[in-house]
Amino acid sequence: MSSAADLWDRVTAAAPPPSREVVVGTALLALVIVCWAPVWRVARSGITLAHEGSHALAALSVGRSLHGVQVHRDTSGVTVSRGPARGAGAIATFAAGYPGPAVLGALGAWVLSRGYAAGVLWAVLLVLAAMTLQIRNWYGALVLLACALPVGAITWWCSPPVQSGFAHLLMWFLLLGSPRTVLDLQRNRRYENGRSDADQLAALTRIPAALWIAAFALLSLAVMVLGGALLLGRVG
């Protein structure tokens, strides 16, 4: 019982407000990761994992059955769900991917704004643990492990200020990475052969794929601004 109580205390422990240098510094570091192409090519797999996880969460929330997630070496991914081929559920599932990382980042930013950095990291670990049940390829499993190991190590062994700084970096990465993937979608859509989320949504709704991409961009940017405001709002 005491161990469970100790664990709960760690999960719900409040961290001191981070300094402006920490919040701005982690934002700049995340921006470098997202904008520097050699680093982004590696880091983008983490955003793909969040993208596919958003598809999976949307599918489950509309009553579809989930049949696996894959993340590929080229940083693409696929989430397989079963349900009606058309209708609101299918649309919601396809639409959730690109804005999803920003939405997750904003939710984490809201929790961080309350001071619960450890809670954010534990939540990330729980989500990653849940995704292990759905990963269906070895590369996807390696990406998941590469994400989980540093989060787990920092959550378990590091001090609250370090946890807070790392949690801020993760949320900035999700917030900034989401619109970057929309930009990549626009640049690379001609190579997708009609398989992108925007093209799938265009087939389901008769709304042109270009408008879906614009909607992804606007929503991702709006959520990014909201999440950034939340992160900057709690500065010591």
Side-chain angles (χ1 to χ4, degrees):
M1 180 67 72
S2 60
S3 297
D6 291 342
L7 179 60
W8 180 248
D9 287 342
R10 295 184 65 166
V11 171
T12 58
S19 66
R20 182 168 297 275
E21 290 77 11
V22 168
V23 177
V24 174
T26 53
L28 292 175
L29 179 55
L31 187 63
V32 169
I33 293 170
V34 168
C35 293
W36 190 13
V39 178
W40 174 244
R41 281 195 290 269
V42 177
R44 193 186 192 282
S45 291
I47 295 291
T48 302
L49 196 64
H51 175 114
E52 300 304 330
S54 300
H55 280 312
L57 183 60
L60 292 173
S61 68
V62 297
R64 298 174 69 87
S65 59
L66 195 58
H67 290 265
V69 172
Q70 295 185 26
V71 176
H72 303 137
R73 193 178 297 272
D74 63 357
T75 72
S76 66
V78 61
T79 298
V80 179
S81 64
R82 295 285 186 269
R86 307 190 70 86
I91 293 170
T93 300
F94 279 113
Y98 280 96
V103 172
L104 294 174
L107 288 173
W110 179 79
V111 178
L112 279 175
S113 72
R114 268 65 184 166
Y116 298 112
V120 169
L121 296 179
W122 278 104
V124 171
L125 283 176
L126 286 175
V127 170
L128 293 174
M131 288 194 72
T132 62
L133 303 176
Q134 295 296 332
I135 288 291
R136 294 293 185 267
N137 68 324
W138 282 107
Y139 186 78
L142 288 174
V143 170
L144 194 150
L145 185 63
C147 293
L149 285 178
V151 176
I154 289 172
T155 303
W156 193 256
W157 284 300
C158 290
S159 64
V162 174
Q163 292 176 353
S164 178
F166 186 68
H168 278 78
L169 176 61
L170 280 181
M171 296 310 109
W172 279 120
F173 176 61
L174 290 171
L175 290 167
L176 295 168
S178 186
R180 171 63 196 266
T181 60
V182 180
L183 178 62
D184 290 345
L185 170 65
Q186 175 60 29
R187 288 174 173 172
N188 302 324
R189 199 177 125 242
R190 63 183 179 275
Y191 304 116
E192 294 280 348
N193 297 319
R195 295 173 299 175
S196 73
D197 291 352
D199 291 304
Q200 298 286 346
L201 286 163
L204 286 171
T205 64
R206 299 186 183 276
I207 297 172
L211 290 182
W212 280 108
I213 294 173
F216 292 157
L218 289 173
L219 183 56
S220 296
L221 288 170
V223 176
M224 181 190 73
V225 170
L226 173 62
L230 287 169
L231 292 175
L232 290 167
R234 188 178 185 265
V235 176

